[in-house]
Amino acid sequence: MSAVGVAVLGSTGTIGDNTLDVISQHPDRFRVVALGAQRNHVKLLQQCEQYRPTYAALAEGQAARELEQGLRAAGLNTEVLVGEAGLAQIATLKEAPYVMAGIVGAAGLASTLAAARAGQRLMIANKESLVMAGPLLMEEARRSGATLLPIDSEHNAIFQCWPAGAVIGEAPRGVRRILLTASGGPFLDWSAEDLAKATPEQACKHPKWVMGRKISVDSATLMNKGLEVIEARILFGLPIEQVEVVVHRQSLVHSLVEYVDGSMLAQLGSPDMRTPIAHALAWPERIDSGVQSLDLAQAGGLEFEPPDVLRFPCLALARAAAAAGGLAPAVLNAANEMAVAAFLEGRLNFTGIAAVIAAVMDQLPAGAATDLPSVLAVDQEARALALREIAGA
Ligand code: MG
């Protein structure tokens, strides 16, 4: 068996690090053909020296030029590709039919859609592409025969609890509901008063998962879970009433499926992204991920509690967007990205994030998501509105 080629988009981020770690453990099965990132040319150069990919892509032009110089100085002949088009190109390579879509935010949308259109094994860690353009993405995948595999730990868990032979995008018969578990983030027990004074540093200190800054803030507001509700609806073809959220502080149960006969299936494991990544890389087989086994006796109790949507209104906003469908999730996502960036830069307080999103959603009646241009147009409109709200906050 010759090693299958893999393109890792977002290679310099957390998902990228974990993907390369799993791949490194299986040189007989996987080979890094392409690496892509937004702008971190220093780290991408190090990765090129280690993995010797055929292609490396960076979204930003200046960063790509720096990478090019570094590669030549190191005597490497990796071909450098630039911009969104460069990222889309490495997502559609014949010699890299496995694509990890790990770029964070709307920036990963075009390359993820390109991979779906090209019929790749698309391992989706970029939740924004499902949130913003879920129906379009699913349609592209159906048309090309692309294999979609969720990397988000919750969706990967649900897929692992799905009946054998079930297809992504269609709800199998006999499912009563799915339950997405939420760690609750670092502010779970904070009062509404303290939440208003929460700092970026506090928000980025997640108790269970090591993550990037944007997703850490999303986890603290519970917007991450809200985006995952939207994502789950699309991936699993269930109406919003059948998608629930339960807070589970230990982060050991990664999500559950309840069937109509009363059976509940759950996927458990140490909170480590290498498990879903290894699952998606090897599916339908299983390979070692390097994750140590979970000692249940040592872990002790598993607790579950309902989420508090009054202190964490982002969850309710996301459910409303999911129920409205069409472009509403794209509006929510765009407003959230702007609000989170403003919070991280100290221009907005923590509770202002939900307020900005609510105000933008109120002002933008969202129609149907007919094509990518309409999604991108509403994304821009929502961003502009969010900026205005942030300036006035
Ligand atoms: Mg998740």
Side-chain angles (χ1 to χ4, degrees):
M1 184 173 80
S2 68
V4 62
V6 185
V8 183
L9 283 86
S11 67
T12 58
T14 313
I15 292 289
D17 282 337
N18 284 306
T19 303
L20 292 171
D21 183 288
V22 175
I23 289 174
S24 304
Q25 296 172 53
H26 302 277
D28 53 322
R29 297 185 71 120
F30 308 110
R31 177 168 66 86
V32 177
V33 170
L35 295 172
Q38 286 283 99
R39 63 189 71 84
N40 190 345
H41 60 89
V42 175
K43 184 160 177 184
L44 189 55
L45 176 61
Q46 289 166 358
Q47 292 179 333
C48 287
E49 288 175 324
Q50 185 174 356
Y51 295 98
R52 309 281 167 137
T54 313
Y55 306 94
L58 278 170
E60 289 189 1
Q62 183 54 37
R65 281 186 287 278
E66 303 265 5
L67 175 67
E68 177 93 46
Q69 284 174 9
L71 286 167
R72 299 314 153 234
L76 295 177
N77 59 359
T78 302
E79 187 178 331
V80 177
L81 302 167
V82 189
E84 289 237 311
L87 290 171
Q89 202 175 329
I90 65 165
T92 56
L93 296 167
K94 281 224 164 28
E95 60 267 47
Y98 283 28
V99 177
M100 175 58 70
I103 290 179
V104 176
L109 178 58
S111 53
T112 305
L113 275 170
R117 199 172 301 130
Q120 309 287 51
R121 168 175 295 214
L122 176 53
M123 299 172 276
I124 306 183
N126 172 258
K127 64 183 68 189
E128 288 82 0
S129 59
L130 278 166
V131 170
M132 291 176 68
L136 296 175
L137 183 69
M138 300 303 287
E139 183 52 35
E140 294 284 11
R142 244 190 306 271
R143 215 176 296 158
S144 70
T147 303
L148 298 187
L149 293 163
I151 296 297
D152 215 343
S153 61
E154 295 77 4
H155 307 83
N156 183 269
I158 288 164
F159 185 57
Q160 292 199 43
C161 297
W162 238 214
V167 178
I168 288 286
E170 293 166 29
R173 287 156 63 126
V175 172
R176 182 177 283 158
R177 59 182 177 144
I178 58 179
L179 290 108
L180 301 173
T181 52
S183 70
F187 302 151
L188 187 55
D189 299 316
W190 286 36
S191 68
E193 200 180 35
D194 288 340
L195 283 175
K197 290 179 285 191
T199 66
E201 286 61 44
Q202 290 166 325
C204 292
K205 230 185 262 159
H206 195 277
K208 294 288 173 189
W209 295 93
V210 178
M211 306 179 293
R213 280 167 73 80
K214 194 265 176 181
I215 192 169
S216 291
V217 177
D218 284 346
S219 169
T221 60
L222 291 197
M223 180 56 95
N224 183 51
K225 210 51 52 181
L227 296 175
E228 288 176 359
V229 167
I230 298 169
E231 216 183 331
R233 260 200 91 202
I234 291 158
L235 282 171
F236 302 117
L238 290 166
I240 188 74
E241 302 75 44
Q242 284 170 264
V243 182
E244 294 182 19
V245 172
V246 63
V247 172
H248 167 52
R249 293 170 190 255
Q250 291 79 22
S251 290
L252 296 176
V253 175
H254 301 308
S255 278
L256 311 92
V257 177
E258 185 184 5
Y259 288 92
V260 289
D261 61 6
S263 298
M264 277 188 144
L265 304 191
Q267 188 257 351
L268 288 81
S270 300
D272 189 319
M273 287 310 293
R274 290 177 299 173
T275 294
I277 289 166
H279 174 261
L281 278 168
W283 181 86
E285 293 175 29
R286 297 274 181 175
I287 55 170
D288 196 342
S289 64
V291 174
Q292 67 182 84
S293 77
L294 170 61
D295 184 339
L296 283 173
Q298 179 84 37
L302 299 177
E303 301 163 301
F304 301 93
E305 58 198 288
D308 180 351
V309 290
L310 292 178
R311 272 182 309 134
F312 300 100
C314 283
L315 188 55
L317 291 169
R319 287 194 80 89
L327 293 166
V331 170
L332 171 98
N333 178 67
N336 181 56
E337 283 193 20
M338 299 307 281
V340 170
F343 168 68
L344 285 171
E345 291 162 14
R347 291 184 285 120
L348 185 68
N349 71 21
F350 185 77
T351 42
I353 296 172
V356 165
I357 298 164
V360 172
M361 286 178 74
D362 275 350
Q363 290 169 67
L364 261 188
T370 45
D371 52 17
L372 187 56
S374 66
V375 171
L376 295 177
V378 84
D379 174 84
Q380 288 307 310
E381 227 178 315
R383 279 167 201 273
L385 270 176
L387 274 182
R388 227 179 299 159
E389 290 295 327
I390 292 161

